[in-house]
Amino acid sequence: TSIPGPKSRELAERRSNAVASGVASSVPVYADKVDGGVILDADGNQLIDLGSGIAVTSVGASAPKVVEKVKEAVEKFTHTCFMVTPYEGYVEVGEKIAELTPGSFDKRAALFNSGSEAVENAVKLARTYTKRTAVVVFDHAYHGRTNLTLAMTSKVMPYKQGFGPFASDVYRVPMSYPFRDADGMTGQEAAERALLLVEKQVGAENVAAVVIEPIQGEGGFIVPAEGFLPTLTKWCQDNGAVFVADEVQAGVARTGKWFSSEWEGIEPDLVTFAKGIAGGMPLSGVVGRAEIMNSVHGGGLGGTYGGNPVACAAALGAIETIEEWGLNERALEIEKIIKEELGSLAESSPIVGELRGRGAMMALEFVEPGSKKPNADAAKEIAAKCLEQGVVILTCGTFGNNVRLLPPLVIDFDLLRDGLRVFVKAIEEAGA
Ligand code: PLZ
C-alpha cells in the first residue's frame, strides 16, 4: 500500500483519541511483526529497518535466544521485585556486565529500567562516593527525560521546553566536535578548553562526576577527537571526580566493541548501559568500581521493577547472541558496507558535510551547499523520502541536520545495501 496504508491510518485515528499528543512517532506506520532488519506493518508492507528502535534491537526484535529465554522466564515468574525476593538472573547479568565492561578492577552492578534511570543512579552513586554535588556534562549531550537527566540533556526542543525548573548543580562545557571545531584542534586541546571552564566556573574540588557519551547519540553521532576522552579521565583521576561513560546508545556491540569507551582505551569508573543489552526488553544499569558502587547505604538504590526477571533473561539471551553470532565483528562489517555505499558523498554531494561514526553507528551531517551551516530541512526531507520508499531511517543532532544509521547488527547485508541505495538516491535528489 502507500505509506502509511489504510490500517495504519485507521490506527493513527484511534491513537489521536487515546494517546497524549506529546508522545510523537517519527514513522506513521504501525508495526505488526519485526525481526532483525524488516518491519512488517499493519498493512502488510515490509520496511527496511535502519533504526533498530533507536539502537535497541541490535540482535533483532525477535532474536531466537531472547524469545526462548523470555518464554522460559515468563512461565516461571513475571516478577517478585529484587528488593523483596531476589533471583539468579539479576545476579548473572551483574556478573556478565562486569566482565564485558572495560577495566579489570573489582566491579559491582545495579539494574534499572531505562537509560534515564541508569544515568540518575550513576549521579547518585558519584555524589555519595565523593560527598560532592557538581555534575559536569557536555554540549550536544543527551542523557534522558527525567528531571535530573533533562538538566543534563542539552537540547531544549523537544526535550526540555516548558518542563523546568531543572535539577541544580549541573554544568555544561564544550564538547570535542571535530567537524565544527577549529581546524587541527586536538582532542587534548578540546578537553583542556572544557576543563579550564570546569576549574574556573565549578571548582575541581566540587565535581562529583563528569558524565559523557563516548560517542554522542541524539546530539549527532559526534565522535570526539582522539585524546579527548583520555584527557578527561586523567583529570577525573587527578581531581577525585567520578568519570561516568553513558554508553546507553553506543554500548553493547553497537560500535564494534562491547563498549565504545574501548576505542580510546579508557576505563570509566562507572558505565551506564541500556538499549541493546536486552534485545528490546526494558533493562538498564550502572556498573563500575566496587568502592563507588558499594558507597550507598543498603536500600538506597532500587525500584519496583529494576532488573525485572524477564528483562534479565532477555539480556542473557542477547549477550549470548552477540557472542555466538559475532555481532561485534558484524558491526564493523556494517561500517565497511556503509562506507562503501556512502563514502564518496562528502565529496560528491554539496549538501553532505561529513560521514562519521563507528561500527553500526554512523551518520551523515547535512549542510547548506558551500558552507557548514546546518541543513535540517535536507535531513528531514531525505528521511521522509526514504520512508516513502519503505526505508525507516532516523534523524538526530542538536541542529536536526544529521541522518543516522543504526541497523540491527543481524541485518542481511543485501538488505542493508538496498536500504542504503534508497538513502543515496534520496540524497542525490535533495542535493540536485
Ligand atoms: N543516554 C546516551 O541515548 C536514550 C531517546 C529518545 P531512556 N536515547 C534515545 C527519546 O527521544 O526519548 C538515551 C541515550 C543516552 C540516556 C538515554 C535515555 O534512555 O531509556 O530513553 O531513558
Side-chain angles (χ1 to χ4, degrees):
T1 69
S2 65
I3 293 182
K7 288 218 174 101
S8 279
R9 284 203 299 270
E10 196 187 308
L11 281 164
E13 185 62 34
R14 271 172 60 195
R15 168 198 181 132
S16 67
N17 293 316
V19 179
S21 59
V23 185
S25 304
S26 42
V27 175
V29 305
Y30 283 71
D32 183 38
K33 198 170 180 326
V34 186
D35 63 10
V38 175
I39 299 169
L40 182 68
D41 81 0
D43 292 284
N45 301 301
Q46 298 185 45
L47 296 100
I48 300 179
D49 181 11
L50 300 184
S52 301
I54 322 187
V56 172
T57 52
S58 299
V59 297
S62 46
K65 260 270 139 54
V66 172
V67 172
E68 180 195 316
K69 296 221 183 234
V70 163
K71 274 187 182 160
E72 259 172 41
V74 86
E75 276 171 3
K76 284 190 177 168
F77 57 97
T78 54
H79 173 86
T80 58
C81 186
F82 193 74
M83 300 183 305
V84 179
T85 319
Y87 38 87
E88 187 179 352
Y90 191 119
V91 177
E92 202 175 336
V93 171
E95 291 166 346
K96 282 263 179 221
I97 203 74
E99 277 168 30
L100 296 173
T101 40
S104 53
F105 39 80
D106 195 21
K107 292 177 198 153
R108 296 291 183 277
L111 302 181
F112 307 99
N113 305 289
S114 67
S116 308
E117 234 187 312
V119 173
E120 289 239 12
N121 279 283
V123 171
K124 285 197 213 168
L125 282 153
R127 283 178 169 163
T128 316
Y129 177 72
T130 58
K131 302 188 173 64
R132 306 172 178 178
T133 56
V135 176
V136 172
V137 294
F138 291 82
D139 284 336
H140 313 290
Y142 185 94
H143 296 293
R145 290 180 185 262
T146 57
N147 186 267
L148 171 60
T149 58
L150 273 183
M152 298 167 69
T153 288
S154 63
K155 193 172 170 179
V156 65
M157 267 308 269
Y159 309 120
K160 302 168 77 156
Q161 183 59 40
F163 299 148
F166 301 110
S168 61
D169 241 359
V170 175
Y171 302 90
R172 190 173 312 287
V173 292
M175 177 67 183
S176 164
Y177 190 165
F179 181 66
R180 296 195 173 276
D181 283 340
D183 274 347
M185 180 179 245
T186 66
Q188 190 181 331
E189 286 163 357
E192 282 163 0
R193 169 179 67 182
L195 293 169
L196 190 65
L197 290 179
V198 174
E199 285 170 2
K200 294 302 159 203
Q201 298 181 5
V202 189
E205 68 278 17
N206 300 318
V207 177
V210 172
V211 184
I212 189 166
E213 301 153 82
I215 298 178
Q216 288 183 321
E218 303 304 305
F221 283 27
I222 301 166
V223 185
E226 201 186 321
F228 183 71
L229 296 170
T231 307
L232 296 180
T233 52
K234 167 100 185 16
W235 184 91
C236 285
Q237 255 168 27
D238 292 348
N239 291 282
V242 174
F243 181 89
V244 181
D246 181 353
E247 293 263 15
V248 164
Q249 188 152 165
V252 197
R254 175 53 49 191
T255 68
K257 302 242 185 233
W258 272 103
F259 289 90
S260 66
S261 297
E262 292 168 54
W263 285 109
E264 283 262 9
I266 57 167
E267 296 184 349
D269 299 311
L270 300 180
V271 167
T272 58
F273 58 93
K275 291 191 186 275
I277 193 66
M281 295 292 285
L283 185 77
S284 72
V286 186
V287 60
R289 290 187 187 276
E291 62 272 25
I292 304 173
M293 294 299 301
N294 285 338
S295 67
V296 170
H297 50 279
L301 302 174
T304 306
Y305 296 112
N308 168 273
V310 182
C312 285
L316 296 171
I319 291 169
E320 220 177 289
T321 303
I322 293 168
E323 280 167 346
E324 280 176 10
W325 291 1
L327 295 189
N328 275 302
E329 294 72 31
R330 227 161 180 282
L332 296 178
E333 288 177 63
I334 288 172
E335 174 176 343
K336 232 175 89 202
I337 292 171
I338 291 173
K339 284 183 172 159
E340 276 167 28
E341 297 291 335
L342 312 182
S344 60
L345 281 170
E347 274 78 58
S348 64
S349 170
I351 56 168
V352 173
E354 184 179 53
L355 170 66
R356 62 168 173 264
R358 285 193 199 277
M361 182 173 183
M362 309 277 294
L364 283 181
E365 173 149 3
F366 290 95
V367 293
E368 304 283 353
S371 77
K372 285 193 174 179
K373 221 174 136 224
N375 189 344
D377 289 344
K380 236 165 112 187
E381 181 192 326
I382 289 160
K385 275 213 173 116
C386 287
L387 183 67
E388 270 171 36
Q389 300 297 312
V391 177
V392 173
I393 210 166
L394 308 171
T395 60
C396 69
T398 296
F399 315 112
N401 64 324
N402 300 281
V403 174
R404 56 177 149 175
L405 301 165
L406 289 166
L409 305 180
V410 296
I411 193 170
D412 176 85
F413 288 159
D414 288 334
L415 198 66
L416 173 63
R417 283 191 198 273
D418 250 21
L420 292 173
R421 285 173 190 165
V422 169
F423 181 37
V424 171
K425 196 153 166 270
I427 295 167
E428 285 166 356
E429 281 169 21

